Amino acid sequence: MTILEVKNLNLGFQCEDIFRPALFGISFSLEQGKMLSIVGESGCGKTMSAMSILQLIPKTAKITSGEIFYNGEDLLKKSQKEMQHIRGSKIALIPQDPMTSLNPLYTVGDQLLEIIKIHQGLSGDEAIKKAIEAFDMVQIPAAKSRLKNYPHEFSGGMKQRAIIAMALACNAEILIADEPTTALDVTIQAQIMHLLQDIKTNKKTSILLITHDLALVSENADNIAVMYAGRIVETAPNEEFFANPTHPYSKALLKSLPSNKGTKLETIKGQPPTLSQQIDGCKFNPRCDYCMNICKKEIPNTINITPTHQCACFLNGN
Ligand code: SF4
């Protein structure tokens, strides 16, 4: 069952006198109890796509068209008040830096209890019991005493667990995890991803994972959407994507992935375009080894490689 569907989302930034488009017809859907990963280099628009869902875009950004259906209702038609409720209780954000979500002036327990009070209407011993359950669920040891700690007394991994506990405490149906492990070391990264997998399987929570890390994606995501310069250029289920990556950008990303097969590690030449950079045709053309004349003039449509695998590139019979 589809729980979230983004349809033809277009967004741009007002930069002084000029409006600069940044997202072009973004469409994807997230199934209940599944993990969809949006993957791409920094600045490709993946975080902005995710923040559009929560309506947490910068003041200079404007969604010019599109629809974002959550349980059949268009989030873009909701008031700020309605969105506040949805953000707190239905769709939760797990940020790259958990300190941006934890208030350093209050104990982690106070912050968790406040959420439980607002979203579950509980207080006193009942609320504390729920808070301990939430900490247990995310495997924070000595939960009762840990509730009394301030954020600075938690390690990076522990803070991220606390944020996930808060999302679980308000029974969020969707977690938007924006580079949730980038600030953590490899062992803790694996533990957090394992925790997210557990939540997905056991609580049927849907997860939108935003990352630049294809290794993380290959091990965790059910479905993949590759973004480049504000467009989704390839989508496929995990196995299909890694068995048959089709877009030249996806192939280049994969070649830059460390593997244990002894293959030479390659980097993608050049840089992704900035917002102000004008590139005609396919925006990947200056970096693409397969670039043809048409690529510099026209933008390729998205076509079906299989019923579940889509790609936007002239090499695929556009
Ligand atoms: Fe490369 Fe052309 Fe395909 Fe763009 S459309 S990825 S430039 S081959």
Side-chain angles (χ1 to χ4, degrees):
M1 186 187 95
T2 299
I3 190 163
L4 181 81
E5 187 174 15
V6 175
K7 285 172 103 174
N8 204 16
L9 181 73
N10 290 282
L11 172 147
F13 287 89
Q14 191 65 46
C15 306
E16 295 177 351
D17 293 347
I18 304 169
F19 186 74
R20 297 196 190 280
L23 296 181
F24 306 86
I26 299 295
S27 296
F28 58 82
S29 52
L30 176 63
E31 303 296 310
Q32 185 173 26
K34 299 284 181 193
M35 185 185 289
L36 166 71
S37 180
I38 302 184
V39 65
E41 291 164 288
S42 296
C44 68
K46 48 193 196 305
T47 294
M48 204 49 62
S49 302
M51 291 304 132
S52 300
I53 296 166
L54 294 166
Q55 288 190 35
L56 289 177
I57 56 175
K59 280 204 176 80
T60 52
K62 187 171 188 292
I63 293 171
T64 49
S65 61
E67 294 162 308
I68 300 176
F69 290 106
Y70 162 63
N71 277 340
E73 289 185 52
D74 188 355
L75 294 183
L76 295 181
K77 297 204 168 98
K78 300 273 178 203
S79 66
Q80 272 307 320
K81 198 171 170 204
E82 287 171 317
M83 276 314 293
Q84 246 168 21
H85 173 71
I86 288 170
R87 276 199 291 268
S89 62
K90 304 292 182 194
I91 308 177
L93 176 69
I94 301 170
Q96 181 173 342
D97 177 4
M99 276 316 279
T100 57
S101 293
L102 290 171
N103 188 328
L105 301 177
Y106 294 92
T107 67
V108 179
D110 281 344
Q111 296 176 63
L112 179 54
L113 288 168
E114 179 70 12
I115 286 173
I116 290 169
K117 187 174 159 194
I118 294 169
H119 294 289
Q120 299 194 19
L122 300 176
S123 56
D125 287 349
E126 272 185 320
I128 292 172
K129 194 169 158 235
K130 277 277 168 202
I132 293 171
E133 275 173 22
F135 266 19
D136 283 345
M137 227 182 297
V138 298
Q139 294 142 27
I140 292 181
K144 198 171 180 184
S145 61
R146 278 299 196 171
L147 287 173
K148 294 176 190 142
N149 287 164
Y150 284 87
H152 75 266
E153 295 175 278
F154 275 34
S155 66
M158 207 76 96
K159 281 187 206 116
Q160 206 55 299
R161 284 174 194 272
I163 297 287
I164 297 169
M166 287 175 189
L168 295 178
C170 56
N171 294 322
E173 291 184 304
I174 298 174
L175 299 183
I176 297 181
D178 187 6
E179 305 272 9
T181 59
T182 302
L184 307 174
D185 71 41
V186 179
T187 320
I188 308 296
Q189 185 178 78
Q191 288 172 6
I192 295 291
M193 289 315 298
H194 193 254
L195 175 61
L196 290 177
Q197 286 290 357
D198 266 2
I199 293 165
K200 189 191 84 170
T201 310
N202 298 327
K203 291 184 72 81
K204 294 277 170 279
T205 305
S206 309
I207 300 174
L208 183 63
L209 173 69
I210 308 295
T211 183
H212 65 280
D213 184 347
L214 260 187
L216 206 67
V217 171
S218 72
E219 285 160 20
N220 292 284
D222 298 294
N223 296 293
I224 294 161
V226 180
M227 264 191 98
Y228 186 78
R231 282 192 167 82
I232 289 186
V233 295
E234 185 164 6
T235 50
N238 186 318
E239 300 75 26
E240 211 170 331
F241 178 80
F242 286 98
N244 182 28
T246 302
H247 195 279
Y249 179 56
S250 308
K251 289 181 184 173
L253 278 179
L254 279 163
K255 278 189 192 158
S256 62
L257 192 65
S259 87
N260 53 13
K261 292 182 190 143
T263 49
K264 195 170 155 243
L265 207 62
E266 293 181 25
T267 52
I268 310 175
K269 66 181 180 191
Q271 298 290 328
T274 61
L275 265 190
S276 58
Q277 224 170 320
Q278 176 70 34
I279 296 173
D280 291 332
C282 168
K283 290 209 176 182
F284 190 56
N285 83 61
R287 306 175 78 189
C288 181
D289 291 337
Y290 308 90
C291 180
M292 303 169 283
N293 276 340
I294 189 171
C295 307
K296 296 181 182 169
K297 295 179 195 144
E298 292 178 33
I299 296 165
N301 292 321
T302 301
I303 60 153
N304 283 346
I305 306 297
T306 73
T308 51
H309 187 174
Q310 286 79 34
C311 180
C313 171
F314 286 118
L315 291 173
N316 300 107
N318 243 279

